[in-house]
């Protein structure tokens, strides 16, 4: 069950990065003008359009999606921890920037933007928490395995 929830959490992160990544990388002007959609314009409200920068954001999100998808598929502890850490390295400074620059937005957009930026941080932390018990049980198995082998070989 833990694996299921860890995959769900990582899949949500991967889908988010894929959506943002494809939109920004392949339709940068639309991303700049229309993100996040639904009549809201969070990117355009924060500064001048720069195609290079918008495409870079998209491409980096696609790279993050690749690492996260590998974590979803393998659930390899080192990859899960790496993907979660990458999300935190990306998302925490992103949140801090926007919390310090909320002045271009109306009240509802301030709340929605801040909330949207907290979600990937929370999901990355959940992925890490779900990983911890697996590591602990793996360590116990690894510790007991050599003892069993050495006692079996000495008889």
């Amino acid at each position: 069950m833990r694996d299921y929830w860890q995959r769900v959490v990582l899949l949500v992160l991967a889908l988010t990065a894929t959506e943002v990544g494809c939109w920004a990388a392949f339709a940068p002007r639309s991303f700049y003008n229309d993100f996040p959609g639904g009549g809201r314009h969070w990117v355009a409200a924060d500064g001048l359009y720069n195609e290079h920068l918008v495409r870079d954001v998209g491409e980096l999100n696609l790279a993050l999606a690749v690492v996260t998808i590998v974590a979803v598929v393998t659930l390899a502890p080192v990859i899960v921890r790496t993907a979660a850490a990458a999300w935190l390295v990306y998302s925490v400074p992103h949140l801090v920037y926007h919390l310090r620059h909320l002045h271009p937005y109306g009240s509802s957009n301030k709340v929605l933007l801040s909330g949207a930026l907290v979600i990937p941080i929370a999901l990355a932390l959940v992925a890490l928490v779900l990983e911890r018990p697996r590591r602990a049980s793996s360590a116990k198995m690894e510790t007991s395995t050599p003892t069993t082998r050495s006692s079996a070989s000495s008889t």
Side-chain angles (χ1 to χ4, degrees), residues 55 68 73 85 100:
R55 285 185 187 273
T68 309
V73 171
R100 296 182 66 203

Side-chain angles (χ1 to χ4, degrees), residues 42-118:
W42 292 350
V43 179
D46 195 30
L48 298 174
Y49 175 68
N50 181 320
E51 180 180 353
H52 177 206
L53 226 58
V54 174
R55 285 185 187 273
D56 283 355
V57 166
E59 293 150 1
L60 289 168
N61 268 275
L62 289 174
L64 186 55
V66 168
V67 172
T68 309
I69 290 166
V70 171
V72 168
V73 171
T74 67
L75 285 186
V78 70
I79 303 298
V80 170
R81 290 190 303 267
T82 300
W87 275 97
L88 292 171
V89 166
Y90 170 61
S91 300
V92 170
H94 191 195
L95 172 65
V96 170
Y97 170 83
H98 281 289
L99 290 177
R100 296 182 66 203
H101 298 88
L102 287 171
H103 57 277
Y105 306 104
S107 296
S108 67
N109 277 319
K110 287 178 182 178
V111 170
L112 291 170
L113 174 62
S114 301
L117 294 175
V118 167

Side-chain angles (χ1 to χ4, degrees), residues 133-145:
R134 181 187 352 266
R135 284 188 297 153
S137 61
S138 295
K140 285 179 187 173
M141 287 174 34
E142 289 173 11
T143 306
S144 64
T145 304

